[in-house]
Amino acid sequence: MAEFRRARLGATLSLMAGLTLAGCATAAQESTPRLSSEELATQIGEAPTPASPPSGQQWLYGSAEGLVASHQTFRLLTAYALDKAAHRPAESVVLAPGATPADPEFIPCGDRPFAAVFDADETLLWNIGSMRVFAERKQDFDPAIWDAWERTGAGYALPLPGAVEALDTLRAAGITIIVNTNRTGGNAAGTEATLKAAGLGEFHHGDSLFLMGDDETGSSKDRRRETISARYCVIALGGDQLGDFAQAFNQRTLPVKERKAMAANPAIASMWGNGWFLFANPVYGPSIRGDFDDVFPAERRWTPEEGNE
């Protein structure tokens, strides 16, 4: 009888413990605080509204994070270029004719003077004037509006955060600043005026400003980089698209995954932050591509447990 009472007591205690744990779990679930709309906005961003600019524009042009990313890249580029100017490198950071990111060779420097080469749009200039028009009209791009912007945008574009200070520092160290952009040659005067109005300095087409149409290769910048390298030892390249470093990245038939693999190829990967400096641009360009399987690998597909959706 004593053994029966002990067994019954043990079972009762186990049941009570189980009920207590279950009650604690339920209480914990019930007491889990719901995030307020303000807290959610802090964690995941505010929900878009019909009046909102696209999220990429909000981030690039409006956020503190976009500002910090720009300053950070300019500081890294400036420090790198100053070091190279103090210790003359044998090679530039421009790929030699016929070289590829998978099999890179670089143009020798010789005793040519130093230069840093930048793209213009979303690298030295934030095109907030034209981008606002596109956003308000729900357009990704309009060639007629962009042509007008190239001609008449002086005073309406902003320099990227940190750009003016970086260019001043590089020039003071004897490094020539050159712009290589796919703005069109026919609008050279407008681009010169826009760069000057943004506080970035004087640029002259064919000397320190190279534009689409300067040769027969269209939007490819490879030939223009070679032309610049005939006069200068290019010690830094800055751009917001991979085509600002090598046209091979911009092959239209190159699948998203293969383009990504090309950029991470060990043969070229060490160039990022060491001669090649990429500025953030989540707004437009060849980086804005990919379906669900391109962006989210199938082997990483996850489904939340039932009841947690």
Side-chain angles (χ1 to χ4, degrees), residues 62-77:
S63 75
E65 287 82 353
L67 178 147
V68 169
S70 179
H71 273 293
Q72 179 174 266
T73 304
F74 273 115
R75 285 178 182 145
L76 291 171
L77 185 155

Side-chain angles (χ1 to χ4, degrees), residues 9-25:
L9 177 61
T12 300
L13 292 174
S14 297
L15 177 60
M16 291 175 64
L19 290 172
T20 300
L21 289 173
C24 289

Side-chain angles (χ1 to χ4, degrees), residues 121-274:
D121 302 309
E122 277 55 64
T123 298
L124 293 179
L125 297 168
W126 270 350
N127 294 291
I128 60 171
S130 59
M131 290 301 154
R132 176 168 185 154
V133 173
F134 292 147
E136 289 178 338
R137 298 186 182 187
K138 310 300 182 185
Q139 292 176 299
D140 292 326
F141 185 74
D142 183 310
I145 292 174
W146 184 259
D147 180 71
W149 172 249
E150 286 188 2
R151 289 185 285 105
T152 65
Y156 296 95
L158 283 175
L160 260 72
V164 172
E165 298 85 349
L167 268 54
D168 286 347
T169 300
L170 295 172
R171 287 187 176 113
I175 300 169
T176 298
I177 306 301
I178 296 177
V179 172
N180 183 12
T181 171
N182 276 338
R183 288 178 170 230
T184 57
N187 292 331
T191 295
E192 290 173 354
T194 298
L195 290 164
K196 182 177 180 179
L200 296 164
E202 298 271 357
F203 293 89
H204 303 284
H205 185 204
D207 179 31
S208 53
L209 174 63
F210 292 79
L211 300 164
M212 185 166 63
D214 286 352
D215 56 47
E216 71 280 7
T217 62
S219 62
S220 172
K221 297 182 178 180
D222 283 351
R223 184 75 60 81
R224 283 175 259 159
R225 280 186 283 267
E226 293 166 16
T227 298
I228 295 164
S229 296
R231 292 176 53 195
Y232 295 96
C233 169
V234 179
I235 54 177
L237 289 172
D240 65 306
Q241 310 289 343
L242 298 192
D244 294 322
F245 309 96
Q247 181 62 20
F249 290 114
N250 279 2
Q251 299 173 49
R252 292 186 181 277
T253 58
L254 189 65
V256 171
K257 292 180 181 179
E258 291 183 21
R259 185 172 186 263
K260 192 173 179 180
M262 180 186 289
N265 188 313
I268 206 72
S270 63
M271 292 301 298
W272 305 116
N274 288 287

Side-chain angles (χ1 to χ4, degrees), residues 86-136:
H87 306 89
R88 174 170 285 275
E91 295 180 330
S92 74
V93 297
V94 175
L95 287 175
T100 68
D103 187 18
E105 292 183 18
F106 296 91
I107 294 176
C109 274
D111 60 357
R112 292 187 290 278
F114 298 122
V117 178
F118 294 87
D119 176 45
D121 302 309
E122 277 55 64
T123 298
L124 293 179
L125 297 168
W126 270 350
N127 294 291
I128 60 171
S130 59
M131 290 301 154
R132 176 168 185 154
V133 173
F134 292 147
E136 289 178 338

